Amino acid sequence: MKSVGSTIGVGRSVEEAMLKALRSSQFSPKDILPSMREISNDELISQLIHPQINRFLVLIEAIRRGYQVEDLTELTKIDQFYFYKLKQLLITEEKNH
């Protein structure tokens, strides 16, 4: 068995908690959402179906690429609520840059 670790984020909103959890991981030491632009669409879909340690970043990348929430929910079995929250994070990031 392979341990991938976990993080926790506590905040006044789901978005704030997600960012805190992301910052506490090794992926994002700054207030930016890391990009996974370098992976192909096939690899992205594979990682959506078969989660790896970087799953959070893969979910964000799928939203950046315009995948529909309904499709992501079907592939990942993650409730749509969280994808809408991730979309809101990306909208906020775009406004700040």
Side-chain angles (χ1 to χ4, degrees):
M1 228 159 85
K2 185 176 175 183
S3 173
V4 294
S6 62
T7 61
I8 188 168
V10 178
R12 288 178 231 148
S13 67
V14 173
E15 295 89 346
E16 182 182 6
M18 286 177 162
L19 283 175
K20 284 183 178 183
L22 186 61
R23 272 189 239 125
S24 71
S25 71
Q26 69 264 19
F27 299 123
S28 182
K30 300 178 183 172
D31 288 336
I32 58 168
L33 297 174
S35 174
M36 295 203 59
R37 287 184 202 137
E38 71 279 355
I39 67 172
S40 68
N41 280 330
D42 290 339
E43 181 64 23
L44 183 72
I45 291 171
S46 175
Q47 288 190 30
L48 287 169
I49 296 169
H50 308 288
Q52 297 180 3
I53 189 170
N54 61 347
R55 187 171 206 194
F56 196 78
L57 302 179
V58 171
L59 298 174
I60 292 170
E61 184 61 27
I63 292 170
R64 279 185 175 140
R65 292 185 189 189
Y67 283 73
Q68 296 300 311
V69 170
E70 295 78 17
D71 296 335
L72 292 172
T73 296
E74 187 176 324
L75 286 171
T76 63
K77 308 303 182 214
I78 296 173
D79 192 280
Q80 293 181 4
F81 170 83
Y82 296 100
F83 290 111
Y84 289 116
K85 294 300 182 180
L86 287 173
K87 277 183 141 182
Q88 191 58 43
L89 282 177
L90 290 172
I91 290 168
T92 303
E93 180 187 46
E94 287 175 12
K95 287 180 183 177
N96 291 331
H97 288 114

